[in-house]
Amino acid sequence: MSNAQQQSATSDAASGERYDAIIIGAGIAGMYQLYRLRELGLSVRVFETGTDVGGTWYWNRYPGARFDSESYSYGYSFSEDLLKEWDWSEHFSAQPETLRYLNFVADKFDLRKDIQFNSRISTATFDEAEDAWDVVTDDGTTARARFLITAVGPLSAHTLPNIEGRDSFEGLSCHTARWPKEGIDFAGKRVGVIGTGATGVQVIQEIAKTVGQLTVFQLQPNYCAPLHNSKIDSKTQAEIHASYPEIFDKCRASHGGFIHQPDPRSAVEVPAEEREAIWEKLYSEPGFGIWMGNFADVLINEESNRLMTEFIVKKIRERVKDPEVAEKLIPKDHGFGTRRVPLETRYYEVYNQHNVELIDLNENPIERITPKGVKTRESEYELDILIYATGFDAITGSFDRIEIRGEGGKTLKDKWADGPRTYLGIQAAGFPNLLTLVGPHNAATFCNIPRCIEQNVEWVTDLMGYMRDKKYTRITATKAAEDEWTKHVYDIASLTLLSKTPSWFTGANLNVPEKKQTFLAYAGGSPAYTSKCDEVAANDYEGFALE
Ligand code: NAP
């Protein structure tokens, strides 16, 4: 810590330590924001619930957890040294390696000295007289800072199902986002999994290799496509290192921050034979090409989406031997890609195993969880282990779990009760000096996330440098700018099929029935979002009131 930093982090009896900025969360966003603000010469404290860095990759230790983004498109791009020093071993890195990478970053930049672990912030209150945020942690620690920056992650507030008897189960039960560090031994065990989103798919295909008996409790299936992961050989490793600038340029130019670029044509205008050949190629290639590199209108035009859906349905039928099971695995309520596509490795083949059973909860709902297992309307399934892959109170949930009070003592939770309202997904009117990295209605919510995190962090860092230079102490989004951005978010979302399909993007969550269903992400794409942010900054932070 520099002298200036030490001076500004002096102790204050009323409101604890004082900093220029407090960051909530030491995941990918919080770590990078800390690095950049320290570079700016600010005093910064990060509060993190976990015992170490990593965020998503710290908590989600379930077997099979791995990237769906190409590893080399996911790591930080800001440091050439870091890019040189780190080799990814697989095209789609598994969680242990990703967590090792984030630890490597924390060590390299000596980040831990400014992070307080085991500390969950429970309240954050804006002091209007002083232009400062006061935070309190669960254990009563207090601290104050001019700026409060949330780096809480869009998918970190995990949710358990509200099923009667849940706590009575006598075996081992666990949500995938709270996986024990020591791991779980599945060999020969009777295991149940509730949930078949991207997480459920990864965990199911992995544990199916060793379990004694696996029972999958599925509400709505998802359209999954092959990941095609492989090791990175030394020749490819050298090519990756030599082409980082092009890789990141490609990501910057793409809608969702991936290396995959869409085919600009409409699927319906391409001759059937050619279209089929392109889809076969995408299905045989690694990664999200099939979702993000498809024809440009597959997520917009219903007929294009119907044709693509037919293609994927055919694949599911080809891969699952029992036609009745195959039918259960085919979604009937939405088209391909209108919910997040889980990428898989022999997921569908799991259902060809004699020791795997798929329970369609629409036909045979769960009545209760018993000390022995899961009781559905038709049978009781005795289990040793029950896994909840039941998802998250997405995007706004992690904000709701903190009591955040802005001007007039109003809470952010109340403000967003009918859906989030923000300016650029980075600020909410009435909450001065609160900056929400990867907040609702921010392009980073629909993105190969580190790419958009870097944009968010760099924009916030520039803003803070600007405020310091101009001696501003308060920034608030104006109501007019917030109204306009919120309307734009919904207008853009309404053009896509994603907004018409309930999923975590739209706030649908069976386990949080009070959550208002509105579109929570930003569907306009990362390049458009970045241009808008740059334009706002170039116009002296137009749409914000600076005092
Ligand atoms: P999710 O997509 O929300 O899936 C939750 C699953 O649990 C769904 O199948 C849901 O069924 C089911 N479910 C929820 N409550 C239930 C209940 N009460 N009874 C029965 N079933 C219930 O959550 P997720 O799979 O954790 O994935 C969330 C997101 O995290 C992904 O979309 C992705 O963006 C990210 N993720 C990324 C990776 C990666 O990069 N590799 C891996 C995993 C996750 P319904 O759908 O019918 O409600």
Side-chain angles (χ1 to χ4, degrees):
M1 199 188 271
S2 69
N3 285 344
Q5 285 172 328
Q6 273 165 354
Q7 267 167 18
S8 74
T10 51
S11 181
D12 176 298
S15 35
E17 296 287 318
R18 284 171 174 263
Y19 304 94
D20 294 321
I22 287 174
I23 298 171
I24 311 180
I28 295 174
M31 289 167 66
Y32 183 40
Q33 188 69 78
L34 166 62
Y35 170 82
R36 291 303 299 258
L37 294 185
R38 252 177 20 188
E39 238 187 10
L40 205 62
L42 302 186
S43 63
V44 189
R45 193 69 174 160
V46 181
F47 290 90
E48 164 58 49
T49 311
T51 60
D52 210 337
V53 297
T56 284
W57 301 103
Y58 169 90
W59 294 107
N60 288 272
R61 294 161 188 264
Y62 61 85
R66 69 169 63 247
F67 289 159
D68 279 348
S69 311
E70 288 70 10
S71 309
Y72 36 88
S73 78
Y74 193 96
Y76 290 113
S77 73
F78 69 87
S79 159
E80 278 191 27
D81 284 351
L82 180 60
L83 288 169
K84 272 191 208 130
E85 288 163 20
W86 185 263
D87 286 345
W88 294 101
S89 71
E90 291 178 273
H91 282 272
F92 299 89
S93 162
Q95 178 273 339
E97 181 171 333
T98 306
L99 190 57
R100 270 201 304 282
Y101 167 74
L102 293 169
N103 276 277
F104 177 77
V105 175
D107 290 341
K108 179 173 172 61
F109 299 111
D110 196 11
L111 298 180
R112 286 192 189 79
K113 68 178 181 195
D114 291 319
I115 305 175
Q116 189 163 319
F117 295 106
N118 275 313
S119 291
R120 201 191 75 85
I121 289 184
S122 48
T123 67
T125 311
F126 187 64
D127 179 335
E128 294 180 54
E130 298 289 325
D131 287 347
W133 281 92
D134 289 312
V135 301
V136 182
T137 67
D138 273 351
D139 70 1
T141 303
T142 59
R144 159 170 282 217
R146 169 122 308 143
F147 295 98
L148 179 64
I149 303 176
T150 57
V152 290
L155 295 160
S156 52
H158 70 291
T159 54
L160 287 163
N162 306 312
I163 303 174
E164 207 186 315
R166 199 184 72 210
D167 296 333
S168 69
F169 181 59
E170 287 170 355
L172 177 64
S173 66
C174 181
H175 191 283
T176 43
R178 285 296 177 277
W179 206 260
K181 285 183 183 159
E182 63 280 10
I184 297 175
D185 180 12
F186 289 97
K189 299 278 178 17
R190 298 165 303 172
V191 184
V193 178
I194 302 181
T196 51
T199 303
V201 165
Q202 287 189 331
V203 81
I204 288 164
Q205 68 197 12
E206 185 61 29
I207 65 174
K209 295 172 187 166
T210 54
V211 290
Q213 173 72 34
L214 178 61
T215 311
V216 176
F217 299 93
Q218 172 192 271
L219 216 45
Q220 305 304 336
N222 286 293
Y223 295 101
C224 311
L227 175 68
H228 296 300
N229 183 34
S230 58
K231 297 264 182 232
I232 298 178
D233 60 36
S234 54
K235 181 171 167 281
T236 311
Q237 194 72 259
E239 285 165 7
I240 290 168
H241 278 281
S243 55
Y244 268 127
E246 292 85 63
I247 290 171
F248 294 127
D249 279 351
K250 242 188 204 178
C251 293
R252 260 190 292 277
S254 89
H255 188 93
F258 290 93
I259 59 167
H260 308 281
Q261 311 290 338
D263 185 321
R265 295 173 296 172
S266 162
V268 284
E269 284 163 8
V270 175
E273 215 172 294
E274 185 186 347
R275 188 172 60 217
E276 193 77 1
I278 288 174
W279 283 338
E280 283 292 350
K281 183 167 176 292
L282 289 172
Y283 199 77
S284 70
E285 286 175 349
F288 264 142
I290 198 142
W291 193 33
M292 294 283 127
N294 212 310
F295 294 106
D297 68 346
V298 158
L299 301 182
I300 296 169
N301 177 317
E302 293 198 2
E303 182 55 12
S304 297
N305 187 265
R306 189 189 65 74
L307 292 167
M308 178 62 210
T309 302
E310 259 180 19
F311 174 85
I312 290 285
V313 165
K314 187 181 70 188
K315 292 291 179 194
I316 299 173
R317 290 194 179 124
E318 278 169 14
R319 290 174 59 185
V320 180
K321 284 189 188 144
D322 180 334
E324 274 184 36
V325 177
E327 283 319 299
K328 289 181 187 171
L329 289 164
I330 296 169
K332 305 292 186 298
D333 63 339
H334 66 280
F336 174 81
T338 61
R339 295 172 27 139
R340 206 289 205 163
V341 176
L343 294 184
E344 46 82 29
T345 305
R346 300 190 59 74
Y347 173 66
Y348 288 113
E349 285 72 15
V350 163
Y351 297 97
N352 298 334
Q353 286 180 212
H354 65 87
N355 61 343
V356 176
E357 188 174 2
L358 177 65
I359 310 300
D360 180 346
L361 298 179
N362 299 297
E363 291 169 0
N364 183 14
I366 296 177
E367 284 185 344
R368 55 179 291 117
I369 292 175
T370 68
K372 291 200 161 115
V374 174
K375 164 89 183 69
T376 64
R377 189 160 65 200
E378 288 167 16
S379 330
E380 180 163 4
Y381 298 86
E382 293 198 2
L383 303 169
D384 303 308
I385 302 169
L386 178 55
I387 299 173
Y388 296 109
T390 44
F392 302 87
D393 181 353
I395 304 182
T396 50
S398 29
F399 290 92
D400 290 349
R401 292 179 187 192
I402 306 170
E403 188 184 299
I404 300 174
R405 288 189 182 276
E407 285 171 347
K410 296 210 173 75
T411 67
L412 191 63
K413 188 174 180 183
D414 282 346
K415 178 180 166 102
W416 287 351
D418 287 331
R421 304 192 67 76
T422 77
Y423 183 35
L424 302 177
I426 208 106
Q427 248 226 342
F431 293 81
N433 297 359
L434 171 67
L435 298 155
T436 55
L437 303 175
V438 200
H441 294 177
N442 183 314
T445 49
F446 189 70
C447 190
N448 178 19
I449 205 158
R451 299 285 61 80
C452 293
I453 281 175
E454 286 187 338
Q455 181 276 340
N456 270 207
V457 165
E458 286 158 17
W459 192 88
V460 164
T461 308
D462 289 347
L463 167 70
M464 290 175 69
Y466 175 89
M467 287 183 69
R468 185 180 61 182
D469 294 348
K470 302 260 178 190
K471 302 200 169 28
Y472 288 126
T473 59
R474 183 194 281 223
I475 179 166
T476 331
T478 65
K479 168 105 180 26
E482 181 182 270
D483 287 348
E484 198 185 321
W485 180 255
T486 305
K487 181 175 178 309
H488 169 67
V489 168
Y490 291 134
D491 287 349
I492 286 276
S494 71
L495 303 176
T496 74
L497 299 173
L498 275 83
S499 69
K500 300 174 180 71
T501 309
S503 75
W504 65 260
F505 293 130
T506 65
N509 189 322
L510 199 60
N511 311 312
V512 194
E514 70 281 9
K515 186 163 180 146
K516 175 94 176 175
Q517 290 197 38
T518 60
F519 200 73
L520 298 172
Y522 176 62
S526 165
Y529 177 81
T530 303
S531 300
K532 172 73 182 167
C533 290
D534 291 348
E535 186 189 307
V536 166
N539 291 327
D540 288 326
Y541 296 93
E542 189 178 24
F544 292 98
L546 285 147
E547 292 166 34

